[in-house]
Amino acid sequence: MIELTDVRKVFPARRGAAEVVAVDGVSLSVADGEFAGVVGPSGSGKSTLARLVNLLERPTSGRVVVDGQVLTDLDDDGVRQARRTVGMVFQHFNLLDSRTAAGNVEHPLELAGVGRSERRRRVADLLDLVGLGDRHASRPAQLSGGQKQRVAIARALAARPKVLLCDEATSALDPASTTGVLDLLRQVRAELGLTVLLITHEMAVVRAVCDSAVLLDRGRVVDGGPLTEVLTRPHSPLAAQLLPAPAVAGATGDLLRITVTESAPEGRVLRTLAGELGLDVEVVGGSVETVAGHRFGRLLLSVTGDDGRLDAALQRLREGGSLVERAVPGDEPAPMDAHDDPDPAAPDGRVVPHLLDAPEVQR
């Protein structure tokens, strides 16, 4: 559904500043119906990448394919037509204060010239879908942050898109609203058969809804893949961000980081080390989470006992499917900066056009 091949975006030097390489040779693939995430620290190019997917920004080089169309081969009119298949949800909602919830959802349909009766039927269906059928007459100032984002999602769905791009769609929300919006995104993905690309710095969001993810750093993909594979990959930077390993400072003995899964749960790990091989085991820290619908966890264990038994235990755990890594102080990956991504796509302060500025909407 979405294919980016060696995509690069360079913003030229302005006012004496150096050029900005926002996206540097990114290739990624998102399958039809997949819920994929793009994560990374501040300034890594996440938001620029989102705008490259629907050519709100044209790449300097590389190839962008959405729903079988090579967007980078199209002229501006062709791109505007192709955007009918892509909806976009932003962090700060971008609702029109002068319009009601229904009026905001109806706006792109009006621009497209859709008839009044069809507009109103479509708006009513969408507001019901996002759980706001009873708030159709409310203005944005009368809505909570979560409700505003639901209106924005309904508006993004007005064109019956096949792809939904969400750029930090939950970053301005409180935890309860975030959970509600993520549940809604899962629902609309399932009911409408959408492909969703989620741009976020919130690892909890990725764990909650994504099937796969890529990790960006300085405009490059440094890790990625289906989450169930990433979390069992040795020395994975993305896995270290999704399930941060406990710090080893102050721990004693032989220190082991164990990744546990449904097929190699923590109980089996502890029984192997302590029950079967007679090693002394202390759980120093760790957590177990549900990721991509499956149970994963990372434990930090302090193990003492016969070295020969320990080596045998490690071998047995690895043969049983556990990811086992020896831990030493100072080897913990640094957490990502959890601030909003500064937008290198607007180094001179210009406004990036909103998707809804395009008047064409599928009837």
Side-chain angles (χ1 to χ4, degrees):
M1 178 58 72
I2 301 174
E3 293 279 349
L4 272 62
T5 305
D6 199 23
V7 170
R8 197 164 190 265
K9 180 61 181 181
V10 180
F11 294 98
R14 288 193 177 98
R15 301 174 185 173
E19 68 179 15
V20 176
V21 182
V23 174
D24 192 7
V26 166
S27 295
L28 65 86
S29 177
V30 181
D32 189 12
E34 189 174 2
F35 206 129
V38 177
V39 298
S42 296
S44 60
K46 304 186 299 294
S47 292
T48 299
L49 182 65
R51 288 191 293 272
L52 292 172
V53 170
N54 60 6
L55 261 65
L56 285 177
E57 291 285 352
R58 277 193 176 270
T60 305
S61 61
R63 189 169 184 258
V64 177
V65 181
V66 177
D67 193 27
Q69 284 192 296
V70 184
L71 301 190
T72 41
D73 287 349
L74 301 177
D75 60 18
D76 290 346
D77 286 341
V79 168
R80 282 192 288 271
Q81 293 293 323
R83 286 197 191 118
R84 293 176 177 178
T85 64
V86 181
M88 196 159 186
V89 181
F90 297 88
Q91 176 180 356
H92 295 297
F93 323 130
N94 293 352
L95 300 181
L96 299 173
D97 293 335
S98 60
R99 285 177 171 254
T100 63
N104 271 279
V105 178
E106 188 177 8
H107 187 224
L109 298 171
E110 290 177 350
L111 294 176
V114 177
R116 176 178 294 182
S117 61
E118 173 63 16
R119 291 200 313 263
R120 292 185 174 177
R121 183 195 65 78
R122 179 74 176 144
V123 168
D125 289 346
L126 287 169
L127 288 176
D128 284 341
L129 177 64
V130 301
L132 292 178
D134 60 341
R135 301 304 300 269
H136 66 280
S138 300
R139 296 188 183 276
Q142 299 171 305
L143 300 174
S144 68
Q147 290 171 331
K148 290 176 185 177
Q149 195 60 289
R150 288 171 179 268
V151 173
I153 291 170
R155 180 185 58 191
L157 298 175
R160 296 187 175 91
K162 296 181 179 180
V163 174
L164 189 63
L165 300 180
C166 301
D167 188 5
E168 299 283 7
T170 60
S171 295
L173 304 179
D174 60 70
S177 297
T178 293
T179 299
V181 167
L182 293 178
D183 288 344
L184 174 60
L185 290 175
R186 274 194 296 256
Q187 175 191 344
V188 298
R189 189 272 291 262
E191 292 187 10
L192 304 180
L194 296 174
T195 301
V196 182
L197 185 63
L198 179 71
I199 311 297
T200 185
H201 65 263
E202 299 174 288
M203 287 300 170
V205 170
V206 177
R207 291 194 297 267
V209 296
C210 289
D211 305 310
S212 65
V214 295
L215 175 63
L216 291 186
D217 188 26
R218 299 182 183 182
R220 291 179 172 269
V221 173
V222 296
D223 196 10
L227 297 189
T228 53
E229 294 180 11
V230 167
L231 289 171
T232 56
R233 184 182 300 158
H235 311 297
S236 165
L238 179 54
Q241 299 294 344
L242 286 166
L243 290 178
V248 302
T252 59
D254 287 298
L255 300 176
L256 306 177
R257 285 203 184 95
I258 311 287
T259 299
V260 296
T261 64
E262 291 171 346
S263 60
E266 61 271 23
R268 183 187 303 173
V269 169
L270 297 176
R271 285 194 301 271
T272 298
L273 292 171
E276 298 180 21
L277 297 172
L279 296 167
D280 292 327
V281 180
E282 179 186 359
V283 179
V284 178
S287 63
V288 178
E289 304 273 358
T290 299
V291 182
H294 299 276
R295 196 165 178 268
F296 290 91
R298 281 196 167 188
L299 304 179
L300 178 65
L301 306 180
S302 173
V303 181
T304 57
D306 181 81
D307 286 345
R309 289 183 178 180
L310 178 57
D311 290 340
L314 299 184
Q315 181 63 27
R316 187 175 301 184
L317 289 173
R318 288 172 178 137
E319 289 174 352
S322 296
L323 176 61
V324 183
E325 300 172 287
R326 288 185 178 270
V328 296
D331 71 344
E332 301 90 356
M336 288 196 325
D337 182 1
H339 296 295
D340 296 342
D341 202 6
D343 189 359
D348 59 350
R350 62 192 171 87
V351 177
V352 176
H354 191 289
L355 181 60
L356 293 176
D357 293 340
E360 63 287 325
V361 176
Q362 255 183 350
R363 299 172 188 262

